[in-house]
Amino acid sequence: MAEKSKYTKRSDGRKIEELRPIKAEVGIVPSADGSAMYESGNTRAIAVVRGPRTLHPQHMQNPQKGTLRVNYGMMSFSVWDRIKPGPSRRSQEINKVIEWALAPCIDLAEFPNSVVDVFIQIPQADAGTRVAGINAAAMALAHAGIPMKQMASAVAVGKMDKTLVVDVDKEEEDFEEGEGATDIPLCILSRTQEISLLQLDGKISPEELKEVISMGRKACAEILKIQTAALKKAKDVRGIEK
Amino acid sequence: MVKVEKNEDNSEMNAQGRQMVVPGETIVSGEHFLPGEGAYRDGDEIVAGRFGLADVSDKFVKVIPVSGVYQARRGNSIIATVVDVTFNGWLLDFGGAQNAFLSINEVPKFINKNELREHFDFGDSVACKVWDVKARGIDVSVKMRGYGKIEGGMIVTVNPHKVPRVIGKEGSMVSLIKNATGCNITVGQNGRIWVSGNSIDDEIKTKKIIEFICDNSITHGLTEKVEAFIKTLK
Amino acid sequence: MSGEKIIPNLQKERIIEYIGEKKRFDGRKLDEYREIEVKMGISNNAESSCSVKFGKTEVYAGVKLLPSVPYPDSQDEGTFMTSAELSPMSSEDFDLGPPKIDAIELARIIDRGIRESGFIDFKKLCIKEGEKVWQVFLDIVTINDDGNLMDVAGLAAIIALGNAKMPVYDAETNKVGHELSKTHLPVEKDAMAFSMTFHKIDGTIVVDPTKEEEDISDLRLTVAVADDGKGKPRITAMQKGKEGTVSEKDLAEILDLIEHKWKEMFPKVSKFVWGK
């Protein structure tokens, strides 16, 4: 080992591979077909699933299988610097990468011409909103009874100067010393252990990346346990409405 | 009246040792097991292909859904609402992924194509039988006795996966409610229940009992609990 | 999801019949609100935020403050902007896309109710006359729609505003710090108005409708009401919605209801907003 990393202690005192405190709850929006909340430290995501239902307009329908459509949005007051409401280039890209992260889990062959809508909202953000969104969405999809081969769990691994850490928060994301901060959100599928989301902003060596993935897998296994427990605790799914 | 059909799933759920499983979870291991609905094989293991209750009977393993949108099956009795009138039939909403189609050929009498709305108009509720499930949607019929337009009363909407609990063993739960409230009850497998009684108060009472059953569906001794609940309503 | 929503005729008939007997499906009286539940601190990055539930209807509201330039016609006053999102998360009736008329109307009604009541002291939001003032952003997001979003959002709005704190601001460097001060957003407690929406269903007036009641109502009348300083209600904003019309009898009935519901609700609302 050459130089020592300038990142020696995590801002909130966590261990290198320690996740922030997690809360998860299934069945939070009564009118939905499936819904869930996932909270990691100060980042909270809520996800709602509606469908399968007929996809409009008709020309967008796929006669071979159903379509998964993700809509991710941060509430204006979720971050310190207010965000203008409505879609942005960022949110549209996130919609797509979350769709790709979740699509390998689900099987919509039985629902041609239909759409399964996943709505993700972030009321409070402290980094890692897309991975929190995926964790909530996977629970909400299961809750909605969608045929799924496996679950999906996601976490952002970071590199602070030369130190690899799990579940990056905002303060870490903004770390600027040495090699600065590198953010690697990733999603692991519960059964095949394959990676369905992989993004990286920063700089990293191939060896380090291997380590990142292995740390990510371990963290996702923990997250999966929490998602599973929350789903099994869901007393009712679509109780009585109206 | 639509006959209450005997349901395949009318036993105490947890009493049978069924486990809640999440997608991707291994249910059993062993080559002699066969995956049924909602389950699949991965090597030696039978894995949950959806969230629900794992049911292992003999060598068949399936996952009974506990949530989600109603999926129509051939032979199901459902209650649907007319949302469109076409030149040769009606489009009905039944709370599923698509609409159902009721053709004029599936009505037990001759219908003049100019008079479709006189038979079933927008917003009318129809008890019908699913006779075909296709990729494009489902076809329904009201040709058989007991099916057709329903009038009066109210519709109580519940999670379709709770319908077996509302029906009870060989219709025991429905009978219990009928005796308590004097209402007629027609259960659509899509979770819409038609309740019709002598007074709206009786119907509301029925609605409350049905809601109670759904809220307490995964518990032991549901019948006793419902009986106790009915007493509190008097 | 597409086009006009169709409500089963028999359901509609039963609701009407029952309301005719002055009864409602969920056992409430015609002028009875559902249980109200308030949770503060939905976002720790907001100057204030809350979740408000009436029964199963849930709405989030959050307040953010930013230094901005004043309007030309009020050089020494802060500015105020309300946005509402009828999220497709909250109902199958709401679609994706830019705000539709329903969301715009909701935001405008809430905006007017607050602005016209004089609840926010805009003069105190002036940083430097003609140059710099605080802009108050009120954002509303629906989470679950089971009717009466108007009143739920209206209550969430005044709770969020009434509890907002000013961000730390250094006038010399003109910088807003990344934290809140102890100073409250300048609000005029006595001017607080809250909205009450009345629906007419087959000639009968009801408050706080569920979604199935709302879907069949002919008329909606939203009234923002404040205290006139003598313990009597003062109307600060109104909006009639839907195609139904208000008869003289309806108006008399609604005015009566305003008087007695306001007396009952005002202390409750005050408690939600001020905690006492």
Side-chain angles (χ1 to χ4, degrees):
Chain A
M1 272 285 154
E3 263 175 276
K4 262 181 87 182
S5 176
K6 290 187 169 63
Y7 198 76
T8 48
K9 206 169 167 209
R10 299 189 74 171
S11 47
D12 59 359
R14 269 186 291 156
K15 294 194 200 88
I16 296 285
E17 295 201 50
E18 191 179 341
L19 291 160
R20 289 179 277 180
I22 298 172
K23 278 189 204 152
E25 197 183 336
V26 170
I28 54 161
V29 174
S31 69
D33 296 311
S35 63
M37 182 279 289
Y38 181 89
E39 185 181 287
S40 168
N42 286 324
T43 293
R44 191 179 330 107
I46 47 182
V48 155
V49 171
R50 293 190 179 273
R53 55 186 184 180
T54 310
L55 177 56
H56 297 289
Q58 207 171 351
H59 69 83
M60 285 173 70
Q61 293 179 357
N62 181 347
Q64 294 187 56
K65 60 173 191 152
T67 306
L68 175 72
R69 187 164 60 178
V70 172
N71 191 268
Y72 158 102
M74 293 177 80
M75 293 190 188
S76 311
F77 47 81
S78 62
V79 284
W80 187 260
D81 297 312
R82 179 180 180 269
I83 307 173
K84 252 176 126 177
S88 61
R89 288 163 61 91
R90 173 184 176 273
S91 71
Q92 289 184 55
E93 183 200 345
I94 293 178
N95 290 347
K96 209 61 215 177
V97 296
I98 296 181
E99 264 171 37
W100 288 329
L102 294 169
C105 304
I106 66 174
D107 178 8
L108 298 179
E110 287 173 62
F111 305 101
N113 304 319
S114 299
V115 62
V116 172
D117 271 309
V118 179
F119 302 107
I120 299 169
Q121 288 270 5
I122 311 294
Q124 177 176 287
D126 183 19
T129 61
R130 75 193 65 190
V131 291
I134 289 171
N135 293 335
M139 289 188 283
L141 282 163
H143 185 222
I146 307 293
M148 285 171 92
K149 289 258 186 288
Q150 52 192 331
M151 288 291 286
S153 312
V155 74
V157 181
K159 181 172 151 281
M160 309 295 125
D161 185 20
K162 295 185 178 60
T163 312
L164 300 182
V165 297
V166 161
D167 192 11
V168 181
D169 64 25
K170 185 79 179 77
E171 206 177 322
E172 292 180 319
E173 213 177 60
D174 297 339
F175 185 74
E176 281 176 347
E177 285 173 61
E179 291 172 21
T182 301
D183 185 29
I184 310 112
L186 53 94
C187 179
I188 305 288
L189 305 181
S190 70
R191 191 131 192 120
T192 60
Q193 286 293 304
E194 286 177 309
I195 304 165
S196 66
L197 168 90
L198 186 58
Q199 294 182 289
L200 185 145
D201 286 304
K203 30 189 164 323
I204 203 165
S205 71
E207 291 74 36
E208 283 170 322
L209 185 64
K210 272 191 197 162
E211 178 64 17
V212 163
I213 304 291
S214 129
M215 286 165 84
R217 275 189 211 289
K218 258 198 254 170
C220 288
E222 265 181 71
I223 293 166
L224 175 67
K225 277 187 202 152
I226 290 163
Q227 290 170 303
T228 302
L231 274 165
K232 291 186 180 180
K233 259 199 280 178
K235 255 196 221 138
D236 184 85
V237 202
R238 198 172 157 186
I240 290 245
E241 310 148 30
K242 293 198 169 170
Chain B
M1 274 302 297
V2 183
K3 234 184 113 237
V4 171
E5 289 174 20
K6 188 182 174 294
N7 219 287
E8 50 170 20
D9 171 41
N10 51 14
S11 43
E12 292 285 329
M13 284 183 178
N14 282 358
Q16 285 215 338
R18 287 174 182 155
Q19 295 271 317
M20 288 287 262
V21 285
V22 305
E25 193 173 334
T26 302
I27 305 168
V28 285
S29 197
E31 271 188 11
H32 63 285
F33 286 112
L34 292 171
E37 238 173 292
Y40 67 97
R41 173 182 293 285
D42 181 13
D44 235 14
E45 299 177 330
I46 305 294
V47 184
R50 61 157 18 123
F51 170 57
L53 285 163
D55 179 81
V56 185
S57 55
D58 203 10
K59 56 181 184 179
F60 287 99
V61 182
K62 61 177 179 178
V63 177
I64 302 162
V66 294
S67 55
V69 171
Y70 166 72
Q71 261 183 283
R73 280 153 203 267
R74 191 189 292 238
N76 278 180
S77 298
I78 60 172
I79 291 172
T81 308
V82 178
V83 290
D84 203 1
V85 182
T86 71
F87 70 100
N88 62 347
W90 300 264
L91 272 179
L92 312 174
D93 163 66
F94 62 98
Q98 290 127 329
N99 284 332
F101 183 67
L102 173 62
S103 157
I104 49 171
N105 299 324
E106 289 302 321
V107 177
K109 55 187 157 192
F110 176 78
I111 287 170
N112 189 325
K113 287 202 174 181
N114 303 321
E115 297 168 351
L116 261 68
R117 288 183 63 179
E118 284 167 31
H119 296 272
F120 302 109
D121 203 354
F122 292 95
D124 281 352
S125 294
V126 185
C128 43
K129 199 172 186 81
V130 178
W131 68 268
D132 201 7
V133 179
K134 290 180 299 200
R136 284 225 151 262
I138 68 164
D139 289 318
V140 293
S141 174
V142 293
K143 264 185 171 167
M144 288 71 72
R145 246 189 83 200
Y147 294 94
K149 183 163 146 183
I150 51 181
E151 283 167 288
M154 65 169 72
I155 290 171
V156 179
T157 305
V158 303
N159 176 345
H161 304 284
K162 306 278 186 187
V163 162
R165 312 296 281 159
V166 175
I167 294 172
K169 245 182 211 143
E170 275 145 35
S172 61
M173 198 64 91
V174 166
S175 311
L176 181 67
I177 313 171
K178 279 183 182 168
N179 289 338
T181 65
C183 289
N184 274 321
I185 300 166
T186 302
V187 184
Q189 262 132 345
N190 58 335
R192 295 191 190 166
I193 302 170
W194 180 48
V195 175
S196 161
N198 290 328
S199 73
I200 303 181
D201 288 315
D202 287 342
E203 291 170 4
I204 297 276
K205 203 162 133 188
T206 305
K207 183 179 180 211
K208 280 186 184 152
I209 301 169
I210 292 171
E211 286 171 354
F212 179 85
I213 293 169
C214 292
D215 287 343
N216 294 278
S217 63
I218 309 186
T219 52
H220 293 283
L222 182 62
T223 308
E224 290 74 42
K225 279 189 181 154
V226 174
E227 279 165 349
F229 179 73
I230 289 170
K231 282 195 187 115
T232 68
L233 290 176
K234 277 171 187 166
Chain C
M1 212 179 106
S2 60
E4 194 77 355
K5 194 176 165 190
I6 298 208
I7 304 127
N9 296 337
L10 61 90
Q11 204 75 354
K12 191 172 167 178
E13 284 161 20
R14 270 303 192 251
I15 296 172
I16 288 174
E17 205 178 316
Y18 215 44
I19 282 180
E21 295 174 22
K22 300 204 187 317
K23 289 193 264 192
R24 297 166 85 169
F25 278 13
D26 56 10
R28 280 185 292 153
K29 297 194 197 85
L30 297 182
D31 65 349
E32 191 178 337
Y33 281 79
R34 288 169 287 183
E35 201 181 316
I36 301 175
E37 211 181 298
V38 176
K39 206 162 75 191
M40 297 302 299
I42 293 309
S43 167
N44 61 0
N45 288 318
E47 274 70 325
S48 169
S49 61
C50 64
S51 141
V52 174
K53 277 188 194 173
F54 283 25
K56 285 192 209 153
T57 297
E58 185 174 14
V59 169
Y60 283 4
V63 172
K64 289 297 299 172
L65 289 165
L66 280 177
S68 174
V69 285
Y71 292 131
D73 60 347
S74 44
Q75 300 273 316
D76 62 341
E77 286 184 9
T79 58
F80 179 49
M81 192 170 128
T82 307
S83 314
E85 185 186 346
L86 297 182
S87 163
M89 168 180 273
S90 60
S91 167
E92 60 178 5
D93 297 344
F94 302 149
D95 293 327
L96 286 168
K100 313 249 168 5
I101 181 61
D102 291 348
I104 295 167
E105 191 201 13
L106 178 77
R108 283 186 55 85
I109 292 174
I110 287 167
D111 190 286
R112 287 208 303 270
I114 287 158
R115 200 183 291 274
E116 300 307 323
S117 65
F119 186 52
I120 301 173
D121 191 340
F122 288 110
K123 287 251 190 303
K124 284 193 186 142
L125 288 173
C126 176
I127 300 168
K128 192 169 182 206
E129 191 174 336
E131 281 179 27
K132 194 142 268 184
V133 296
W134 285 105
Q135 180 166 23
V136 182
F137 289 96
L138 170 64
D139 284 287
I140 288 160
V141 185
T142 61
I143 302 296
N144 189 60
D145 179 15
D146 188 26
N148 201 18
L149 284 171
M150 200 71 84
D151 290 355
V152 186
L155 181 58
I158 54 172
I159 292 174
L161 288 168
N163 288 282
K165 299 249 173 71
M166 304 294 296
V168 170
Y169 176 72
D170 186 336
E172 274 175 34
T173 58
N174 187 25
K175 276 203 172 133
V176 181
H178 199 128
E179 58 182 320
L180 297 178
S181 68
K182 289 207 167 70
T183 318
H184 277 269
L185 173 76
V187 289
E188 199 59 62
K189 284 194 182 188
D190 295 336
M192 182 191 75
F194 63 94
S195 77
M196 294 192 285
T197 301
F198 303 92
H199 281 255
K200 184 161 94 167
I201 299 172
D202 195 46
T204 304
I205 309 290
V206 301
V207 305
D208 190 25
T210 59
K211 194 159 169 65
E212 68 177 355
E213 291 172 338
E214 197 171 66
D215 283 342
I216 62 162
S217 91
D218 311 302
L219 164 78
R220 134 168 85 71
L221 187 69
T222 302
V223 188
V225 193
D227 189 327
D228 71 347
K230 298 180 205 97
K232 287 257 182 195
R234 171 190 283 152
I235 296 167
T236 60
M238 270 181 129
Q239 175 97 339
K240 193 220 88 164
K242 298 190 147 184
E243 291 174 7
T245 49
V246 189
S247 70
E248 202 154 328
K249 181 181 151 284
D250 297 335
L251 189 64
E253 201 177 321
I254 289 170
L255 288 174
D256 258 11
L257 267 172
I258 288 174
E259 195 128 356
H260 99 251
K261 281 322 275 184
W262 179 81
K263 266 202 189 111
E264 176 201 325
M265 295 303 288
F266 188 76
K268 285 188 192 170
V269 169
S270 299
K271 204 169 172 212
F272 284 127
V273 181
W274 314 118
K276 58 182 180 212

